[in-house]
Amino acid sequence: MKLSTSMERFILHWGEMGSRWGVSRSVAQVHALLYLTSEPLHADEITDTLSIARSNVSMCLKELQGWGLIKMTHVMGDRRDHFRAEQDVWEVMTRIVEGRKEREFDPLLITLQRCQEEARADSTTDPAVAQRIGAMHDFVHDMTSWYDQVRKLPRPVITKLMTMGAKVARFVS
Amino acid sequence: MKLSTSMERFILHWGEMGSRWGVSRSVAQVHALLYLTSEPLHADEITDTLSIARSNVSMCLKELQGWGLIKMTHVMGDRRDHFRAEQDVWEVMTRIVEGRKEREFDPLLITLQRCQEEARADSTTDPAVAQRIGAMHDFVHDMTSWYDQVRKLPRPVITKLMTMGAKVARFVS
DNA sequence: CTGTGATTTCAGAAATTACTGAAACTAATG
DNA sequence: CATTAGTTTCAGTAATTTCTGAAATCACAG
């Protein structure tokens, strides 16, 4: 497939973002390409378009499926697997955030919990240190439980809250 | 300085987090150490405690100052620079989020804007592609402007909104 | 069961990123 | 102004991560 300038720019920047967001450049590029393309693509088409190794494309597709960002489909009369990305931006972001939460914050919280218990039990640890570990734990805990509540709200409600922006403050007396 | 088990665990995990969050392991470790320690430390103490090169400690301290996470202080009768981390968890997180926003989202938004204009102007780009680039742009734009508004609210208001959790939904009819 | 096309695995290569240590620099002190 | 304690720079090295390509595996049609 031939990419237009803007598609190319989008894919390249998304690739850069990816490497800052815990997926490799090529995973993010494959995702960007599939996001921009509405028709399902098969692996060889991706290989040609992005000029990366066929095997790498396989790995990327697998990882993206793990993130729930793409799904496999089949085209009538074609034996090859085809892939199609979630097209809804909100859904895309939700899954990315959800994935990062599971991969980063859940383990962080477990470690912090453990540090906290350990610090309190251990008499050689300065209570002030235990207190600071506790403060960090509580913060992360509060953040994740806030997130867990809010993400379950119906999407229109969240959208509305967002468009209200700072105006939500008026409800806090 | 001798680290207790829980301090060590905290510092090591924070280091791992760092490498996923766009700073090197050692930057994050230095930050964790200073966060846990209330007294200002000088570079040699950090070098010994974390067993990393003196020069690397210098670089880490510089970067952390760039993030606004630590500041230099001086101890009476000691010529050496000492460093003290922000102890308030909320402040720590605010600065990290703020830094990442500037480093990642602001440039992303600029690229998306450019892609969008380019895609619309260019007749070879499928309008559906332009539409998807636009959708991504709008999403990121809405997100950042929501963030810009909310972060300016007084902290107690934000705290209150967070403890309300999903209950904010009741204000949306 | 066999042959063909598609996919996955994995060891090594390449690229990227982080770290070290020696040398250069800076500034306070006597 | 020479000495000394402290800091920074930077070129080279080490570690890590990512990518490639050949080989193995899989799965379906005939």
Side-chain angles (χ1 to χ4, degrees), chain A residues 52-114:
Chain A
I52 57 182
R54 178 65 183 75
S55 56
N56 195 11
V57 170
S58 265
M59 298 300 264
C60 293
L61 290 170
K62 209 159 114 182
E63 183 166 352
L64 286 168
Q65 283 175 287
W67 282 82
L69 288 170
I70 64 172
K71 56 183 193 189
M72 197 192 296
T73 59
H74 282 97
V75 173
M76 190 58 81
D78 194 333
R79 246 169 83 180
R80 295 170 298 189
D81 294 344
H82 286 63
F83 298 87
R84 187 183 160 75
E86 174 60 55
Q87 300 280 317
D88 182 82
V89 187
W90 185 272
E91 204 54 48
V92 170
M93 291 306 180
T94 305
R95 302 223 175 132
I96 293 175
V97 171
E98 187 64 22
R100 297 199 76 192
K101 191 220 161 219
E102 283 166 14
R103 281 155 235 236
E104 294 173 29
F105 289 88
D106 292 351
L108 173 63
L109 197 54
I110 290 169
T111 301
L112 287 174
Q113 223 144 19
R114 193 159 161 202

Coordinates of all heavy atoms in Angstrom, one line a residue, chain A residues 52-114:
Chain A
I52 N 9.0 -3.8 7.5 CA 9.6 -4.5 8.6 C 9.5 -6.0 8.4 O 8.7 -6.4 7.5 CB 9.0 -4.1 10.0 CG1 7.5 -4.3 10.0 CG2 9.3 -2.6 10.3 CD1 6.8 -3.9 11.3
A53 N 10.3 -6.8 9.1 CA 10.3 -8.2 8.8 C 8.9 -8.9 9.1 O 8.2 -8.5 10.0 CB 11.4 -8.9 9.6
R54 N 8.7 -9.8 8.2 CA 7.4 -10.6 8.3 C 7.2 -11.1 9.7 O 6.1 -11.1 10.3 CB 7.5 -11.7 7.3 CG 6.3 -12.6 7.3 CD 5.0 -11.8 6.9 NE 3.9 -12.7 6.9 CZ 3.3 -13.1 8.0 NH1 3.7 -12.6 9.2 NH2 2.2 -13.9 8.0
S55 N 8.3 -11.7 10.3 CA 8.2 -12.3 11.6 C 7.8 -11.3 12.7 O 7.1 -11.5 13.6 CB 9.4 -13.0 12.0 OG 10.5 -12.1 11.9
N56 N 8.4 -10.1 12.5 CA 8.2 -9.0 13.4 C 6.7 -8.6 13.4 O 6.1 -8.4 14.4 CB 9.1 -7.8 13.1 CG 9.2 -6.8 14.2 OD1 8.7 -7.1 15.3 ND2 9.7 -5.7 13.9
V57 N 6.2 -8.6 12.2 CA 4.7 -8.2 12.0 C 3.9 -9.2 12.8 O 3.0 -8.8 13.5 CB 4.4 -8.2 10.5 CG1 2.8 -8.1 10.4 CG2 5.0 -7.1 9.8
S58 N 4.2 -10.5 12.7 CA 3.5 -11.5 13.5 C 3.5 -11.2 15.0 O 2.4 -11.2 15.6 CB 4.2 -12.9 13.3 OG 3.6 -13.6 12.3
M59 N 4.7 -10.9 15.5 CA 4.8 -10.6 16.9 C 4.0 -9.4 17.3 O 3.3 -9.4 18.3 CB 6.2 -10.4 17.3 CG 7.1 -11.6 17.0 SD 6.6 -13.0 18.0 CE 7.7 -12.8 19.4
C60 N 4.1 -8.4 16.4 CA 3.3 -7.1 16.7 C 1.8 -7.4 16.8 O 1.1 -6.9 17.6 CB 3.6 -6.1 15.7 SG 5.3 -5.5 15.7
L61 N 1.4 -8.2 15.8 CA -0.1 -8.5 15.7 C -0.5 -9.2 16.9 O -1.6 -8.9 17.5 CB -0.4 -9.3 14.4 CG -0.2 -8.5 13.1 CD1 -0.3 -9.4 11.9 CD2 -1.3 -7.4 13.0
K62 N 0.3 -10.1 17.4 CA 0.0 -10.9 18.6 C -0.1 -10.0 19.8 O -1.1 -10.0 20.6 CB 1.1 -11.9 18.8 CG 0.6 -13.2 19.5 CD 1.5 -14.3 19.2 CE 2.2 -14.8 20.5 NZ 3.2 -15.9 20.2
E63 N 0.9 -9.1 19.9 CA 0.9 -8.2 21.1 C -0.4 -7.2 21.0 O -1.0 -7.0 22.0 CB 2.2 -7.4 21.1 CG 2.2 -6.5 22.3 CD 3.6 -5.9 22.6 OE1 4.6 -6.3 22.0 OE2 3.6 -5.0 23.5
L64 N -0.7 -6.7 19.8 CA -1.8 -5.8 19.7 C -3.1 -6.5 20.0 O -4.0 -5.9 20.6 CB -1.9 -5.2 18.3 CG -0.8 -4.2 18.0 CD1 -0.7 -3.8 16.6 CD2 -1.1 -2.9 18.8
Q65 N -3.2 -7.8 19.7 CA -4.4 -8.6 20.1 C -4.5 -8.7 21.6 O -5.5 -8.6 22.2 CB -4.4 -10.0 19.5 CG -4.7 -10.0 18.0 CD -4.6 -11.3 17.3 OE1 -3.5 -11.8 17.1 NE2 -5.7 -12.0 17.1
G66 N -3.3 -8.9 22.2 CA -3.2 -8.9 23.7 C -3.7 -7.6 24.3 O -4.3 -7.7 25.4
W67 N -3.5 -6.5 23.7 CA -4.0 -5.3 24.2 C -5.5 -5.0 23.8 O -6.1 -4.0 24.2 CB -3.2 -4.1 23.6 CG -1.8 -3.9 24.2 CD1 -0.7 -4.6 23.9 CD2 -1.5 -2.9 25.2 NE1 0.4 -4.1 24.7 CE2 -0.1 -3.1 25.5 CE3 -2.2 -2.0 25.9 CZ2 0.6 -2.3 26.4 CZ3 -1.5 -1.2 26.9 CH2 -0.1 -1.4 27.1
G68 N -6.0 -5.9 23.0 CA -7.4 -5.8 22.6 C -7.6 -4.6 21.6 O -8.7 -4.1 21.5
L69 N -6.5 -4.3 21.0 CA -6.6 -3.1 20.0 C -6.9 -3.5 18.6 O -7.4 -2.7 17.8 CB -5.3 -2.3 20.1 CG -5.1 -1.5 21.4 CD1 -3.7 -1.0 21.4 CD2 -6.1 -0.4 21.5
I70 N -6.7 -4.8 18.3 CA -7.0 -5.2 16.9 C -7.7 -6.6 17.1 O -7.5 -7.3 18.1 CB -5.8 -5.4 16.0 CG1 -4.8 -6.5 16.6 CG2 -5.0 -4.1 15.9 CD1 -3.7 -6.8 15.6
K71 N -8.4 -7.0 16.1 CA -8.9 -8.3 16.1 C -8.8 -9.0 14.7 O -8.8 -8.3 13.7 CB -10.3 -8.4 16.6 CG -11.3 -7.6 16.0 CD -12.7 -7.8 16.7 CE -13.8 -7.2 15.8 NZ -15.1 -7.1 16.4
M72 N -8.7 -10.3 14.8 CA -8.5 -11.1 13.5 C -9.8 -11.3 12.9 O -10.8 -11.5 13.5 CB -7.9 -12.4 13.9 CG -7.3 -13.1 12.8 SD -6.9 -14.8 13.2 CE -5.7 -14.6 14.5
T73 N -9.8 -11.2 11.6 CA -11.0 -11.5 10.8 C -10.6 -12.3 9.6 O -9.4 -12.4 9.3 CB -11.7 -10.2 10.3 OG1 -10.8 -9.5 9.4 CG2 -12.1 -9.3 11.4
H74 N -11.6 -12.8 8.9 CA -11.3 -13.5 7.7 C -12.0 -12.9 6.5 O -13.2 -12.5 6.7 CB -11.5 -15.0 7.9 CG -10.4 -15.7 8.6 ND1 -10.5 -15.9 10.0 CD2 -9.2 -16.1 8.3 CE1 -9.4 -16.4 10.4 NE2 -8.6 -16.6 9.4
V75 N -11.4 -13.0 5.4 CA -12.0 -12.5 4.2 C -12.4 -13.7 3.3 O -11.6 -14.6 3.2 CB -11.0 -11.6 3.4 CG1 -11.6 -11.2 2.0 CG2 -10.7 -10.3 4.2
M76 N -13.6 -13.7 2.9 CA -14.1 -14.8 2.1 C -13.2 -15.2 0.9 O -12.8 -14.3 0.2 CB -15.5 -14.5 1.6 CG -16.3 -15.6 0.9 SD -16.5 -17.0 2.1 CE -17.9 -16.4 3.0
G77 N -12.8 -16.4 0.8 CA -12.0 -16.9 -0.3 C -10.5 -16.6 -0.1 O -9.7 -16.7 -1.0
D78 N -10.1 -16.2 1.1 CA -8.7 -15.9 1.4 C -8.3 -16.7 2.7 O -9.0 -16.5 3.7 CB -8.5 -14.4 1.5 CG -7.0 -14.0 1.5 OD1 -6.2 -14.9 1.8 OD2 -6.7 -12.9 1.1
R79 N -7.3 -17.5 2.6 CA -6.9 -18.3 3.7 C -6.2 -17.5 4.8 O -6.1 -17.9 5.9 CB -6.0 -19.4 3.2 CG -6.6 -20.8 3.4 CD -5.8 -21.8 2.7 NE -4.7 -22.2 3.5 CZ -3.8 -23.2 3.1 NH1 -3.9 -23.7 1.9 NH2 -2.8 -23.5 3.9
R80 N -5.6 -16.4 4.4 CA -4.8 -15.6 5.3 C -5.6 -14.9 6.4 O -6.8 -14.5 6.2 CB -4.0 -14.6 4.5 CG -3.0 -15.2 3.6 CD -2.4 -14.2 2.7 NE -3.4 -13.6 1.8 CZ -3.1 -12.8 0.8 NH1 -1.8 -12.5 0.5 NH2 -4.0 -12.2 0.1
D81 N -5.0 -14.8 7.6 CA -5.6 -14.0 8.6 C -5.6 -12.5 8.2 O -4.6 -12.0 7.7 CB -4.8 -14.1 9.9 CG -4.9 -15.5 10.5 OD1 -5.7 -16.3 10.0 OD2 -4.0 -15.9 11.3
H82 N -6.7 -11.8 8.5 CA -6.7 -10.4 8.3 C -6.9 -9.7 9.6 O -7.5 -10.3 10.6 CB -7.8 -10.0 7.3 CG -7.5 -10.4 5.9 ND1 -7.3 -11.7 5.5 CD2 -7.3 -9.6 4.8 CE1 -7.0 -11.7 4.2 NE2 -7.0 -10.4 3.8
F83 N -6.5 -8.5 9.7 CA -6.6 -7.8 11.0 C -7.2 -6.4 10.8 O -6.9 -5.7 9.8 CB -5.2 -7.7 11.7 CG -4.6 -9.0 12.0 CD1 -3.8 -9.7 11.0 CD2 -4.8 -9.6 13.2 CE1 -3.3 -10.9 11.3 CE2 -4.3 -10.8 13.5 CZ -3.5 -11.5 12.5
R84 N -8.0 -6.1 11.8 CA -8.7 -4.8 11.7 C -8.6 -4.2 13.1 O -8.8 -4.8 14.1 CB -10.2 -5.2 11.5 CG -11.1 -4.0 11.2 CD -12.5 -4.6 11.0 NE -13.4 -3.5 11.2 CZ -13.6 -2.5 10.3 NH1 -13.0 -2.5 9.2 NH2 -14.5 -1.5 10.6
A85 N -8.3 -2.9 13.1 CA -8.1 -2.2 14.4 C -9.5 -1.6 14.9 O -10.3 -1.3 14.1 CB -7.1 -1.1 14.3
E86 N -9.6 -1.5 16.2 CA -10.7 -0.8 16.8 C -10.7 0.6 16.2 O -9.6 1.3 16.2 CB -10.5 -0.7 18.3 CG -11.5 0.1 19.0 CD -12.9 -0.4 18.9 OE1 -13.1 -1.6 19.1 OE2 -13.8 0.4 18.4
Q87 N -11.8 1.1 15.7 CA -11.8 2.4 15.0 C -12.3 3.5 15.9 O -12.1 4.7 15.7 CB -12.8 2.4 13.8 CG -12.4 1.3 12.8 CD -11.3 1.8 11.9 OE1 -11.2 2.9 11.4 NE2 -10.3 0.9 11.6
D88 N -12.9 3.1 17.0 CA -13.5 4.2 17.9 C -12.4 4.7 18.8 O -11.8 3.9 19.6 CB -14.6 3.5 18.7 CG -15.2 4.5 19.6 OD1 -16.1 5.3 19.1 OD2 -14.9 4.6 20.8
V89 N -12.1 6.0 18.7 CA -10.9 6.5 19.5 C -11.1 6.4 21.0 O -10.1 6.0 21.7 CB -10.8 8.1 19.2 CG1 -9.5 8.6 19.8 CG2 -10.8 8.3 17.7
W90 N -12.3 6.6 21.4 CA -12.5 6.4 22.9 C -12.2 5.0 23.3 O -11.5 4.8 24.4 CB -14.0 6.8 23.2 CG -14.2 6.8 24.7 CD1 -14.6 5.7 25.4 CD2 -14.1 7.9 25.6 NE1 -14.6 6.1 26.7 CE2 -14.4 7.4 26.8 CE3 -13.7 9.2 25.4 CZ2 -14.3 8.2 28.0 CZ3 -13.7 10.0 26.5 CH2 -14.0 9.6 27.8
E91 N -12.6 4.1 22.5 CA -12.4 2.7 22.9 C -10.9 2.4 22.8 O -10.3 1.7 23.7 CB -13.1 1.8 21.8 CG -13.5 0.4 22.3 CD -14.2 0.4 23.6 OE1 -15.2 1.1 23.8 OE2 -13.8 -0.4 24.5
V92 N -10.2 2.9 21.8 CA -8.8 2.7 21.7 C -8.0 3.2 23.0 O -7.3 2.5 23.6 CB -8.2 3.5 20.5 CG1 -6.7 3.5 20.5 CG2 -8.7 2.9 19.2
M93 N -8.4 4.4 23.4 CA -7.7 5.0 24.5 C -8.0 4.2 25.8 O -7.2 4.0 26.7 CB -8.1 6.5 24.7 CG -7.5 7.3 23.5 SD -5.7 7.1 23.4 CE -5.3 8.1 22.1
T94 N -9.3 3.9 25.9 CA -9.7 3.1 27.1 C -8.9 1.8 27.3 O -8.4 1.5 28.3 CB -11.2 2.7 27.0 OG1 -12.0 3.9 26.8 CG2 -11.7 2.0 28.2
R95 N -8.7 1.2 26.1 CA -7.9 -0.1 26.2 C -6.5 0.1 26.5 O -5.9 -0.7 27.2 CB -8.1 -0.9 24.9 CG -9.5 -1.1 24.6 CD -9.8 -2.5 24.0 NE -11.2 -2.6 23.9 CZ -11.8 -3.1 22.8 NH1 -11.1 -3.5 21.8 NH2 -13.2 -3.2 22.8
I96 N -5.9 1.2 26.0 CA -4.5 1.5 26.3 C -4.3 1.8 27.8 O -3.5 1.3 28.4 CB -4.0 2.7 25.4 CG1 -3.9 2.2 23.9 CG2 -2.6 3.1 25.9 CD1 -3.6 3.4 23.0
V97 N -5.2 2.7 28.2 CA -5.1 3.0 29.7 C -5.3 1.8 30.5 O -4.6 1.6 31.5 CB -6.2 4.1 30.0 CG1 -6.2 4.4 31.5 CG2 -5.8 5.4 29.3
E98 N -6.3 1.0 30.2 CA -6.6 -0.2 31.0 C -5.4 -1.1 31.0 O -5.0 -1.6 32.0 CB -7.8 -0.9 30.3 CG -8.3 -2.1 31.1 CD -8.9 -1.7 32.4 OE1 -9.3 -0.5 32.6 OE2 -9.0 -2.6 33.3
G99 N -4.8 -1.3 29.8 CA -3.6 -2.2 29.7 C -2.5 -1.7 30.6 O -1.8 -2.4 31.3
R100 N -2.2 -0.4 30.5 CA -1.1 0.2 31.3 C -1.4 0.1 32.8 O -0.5 -0.1 33.6 CB -0.9 1.6 30.9 CG -0.5 1.8 29.5 CD 0.2 3.1 29.2 NE 1.6 3.1 29.7 CZ 2.3 4.2 29.9 NH1 1.8 5.3 29.6 NH2 3.5 4.1 30.3
K101 N -2.7 0.3 33.1 CA -3.0 0.2 34.5 C -2.7 -1.2 35.0 O -2.0 -1.4 36.0 CB -4.5 0.4 34.7 CG -4.9 0.6 36.2 CD -6.3 0.0 36.4 CE -6.4 -0.3 37.9 NZ -7.1 -1.6 38.2
E102 N -3.1 -2.2 34.3 CA -2.8 -3.6 34.7 C -1.3 -3.9 34.8 O -0.9 -4.6 35.6 CB -3.5 -4.6 33.7 CG -5.0 -4.7 33.9 CD -5.6 -5.4 32.7 OE1 -4.9 -6.1 31.9 OE2 -6.9 -5.4 32.6
R103 N -0.6 -3.4 33.7 CA 0.8 -3.8 33.6 C 1.7 -3.0 34.6 O 2.7 -3.4 35.0 CB 1.3 -3.5 32.2 CG 0.9 -4.6 31.3 CD 0.9 -4.1 29.8 NE -0.5 -4.5 29.3 CZ -0.7 -5.2 28.2 NH1 0.4 -5.6 27.5 NH2 -1.9 -5.4 27.8
E104 N 1.2 -1.8 35.0 CA 2.1 -0.9 35.8 C 1.6 -0.6 37.2 O 2.3 -0.8 38.2 CB 2.3 0.4 35.1 CG 3.1 0.3 33.8 CD 3.2 1.5 33.0 OE1 3.1 2.6 33.5 OE2 3.3 1.4 31.7
F105 N 0.3 -0.2 37.2 CA -0.2 0.3 38.5 C -0.6 -0.9 39.5 O -0.3 -0.8 40.7 CB -1.3 1.3 38.3 CG -0.8 2.6 37.8 CD1 -0.7 2.8 36.4 CD2 -0.4 3.6 38.7 CE1 -0.2 4.0 35.9 CE2 0.1 4.8 38.2 CZ 0.2 5.0 36.8
D106 N -1.2 -1.9 38.9 CA -1.5 -3.0 39.8 C -0.3 -3.6 40.5 O -0.3 -3.8 41.7 CB -2.3 -4.0 39.0 CG -3.7 -3.5 38.6 OD1 -4.1 -2.4 39.1 OD2 -4.4 -4.1 37.8
P107 N 0.8 -3.9 39.7 CA 2.0 -4.4 40.4 C 2.6 -3.4 41.3 O 3.1 -3.8 42.4 CB 3.0 -4.7 39.2 CG 2.1 -4.8 38.0 CD 0.9 -3.9 38.2
L108 N 2.6 -2.1 40.9 CA 3.1 -1.1 41.8 C 2.4 -1.1 43.2 O 3.0 -1.0 44.2 CB 2.9 0.3 41.2 CG 3.3 1.5 42.0 CD1 4.8 1.5 42.4 CD2 3.0 2.8 41.3
L109 N 1.1 -1.2 43.1 CA 0.3 -1.2 44.3 C 0.6 -2.4 45.2 O 0.8 -2.2 46.4 CB -1.2 -1.2 44.0 CG -2.2 -0.8 45.1 CD1 -1.8 0.6 45.6 CD2 -3.6 -0.7 44.6
I110 N 0.8 -3.5 44.6 CA 1.2 -4.7 45.3 C 2.6 -4.5 46.0 O 2.7 -4.8 47.2 CB 1.2 -6.0 44.4 CG1 -0.2 -6.3 44.0 CG2 1.9 -7.1 45.1 CD1 -0.3 -7.4 42.9
T111 N 3.5 -4.0 45.3 CA 4.8 -3.7 45.9 C 4.7 -2.7 47.0 O 5.3 -2.9 48.1 CB 5.8 -3.2 44.8 OG1 5.9 -4.1 43.8 CG2 7.2 -2.9 45.4
L112 N 4.0 -1.7 46.8 CA 3.8 -0.6 47.8 C 3.2 -1.2 49.1 O 3.6 -0.9 50.2 CB 3.0 0.5 47.3 CG 3.7 1.4 46.3 CD1 2.8 2.5 45.7 CD2 5.0 2.1 46.9
Q113 N 2.2 -2.1 48.9 CA 1.6 -2.7 50.0 C 2.6 -3.5 50.8 O 2.7 -3.4 52.1 CB 0.5 -3.7 49.5 CG -0.8 -3.6 50.2 CD -1.9 -3.8 49.2 OE1 -1.8 -4.3 48.1 NE2 -3.1 -3.5 49.6
R114 N 3.4 -4.3 50.1 CA 4.4 -5.1 50.7 C 5.4 -4.3 51.4 O 5.8 -4.6 52.6 CB 5.0 -5.9 49.6 CG 5.9 -7.0 50.2 CD 6.1 -8.1 49.2 NE 7.2 -8.9 49.6 CZ 7.9 -9.7 48.8 NH1 7.6 -9.7 47.5 NH2 8.9 -10.4 49.2

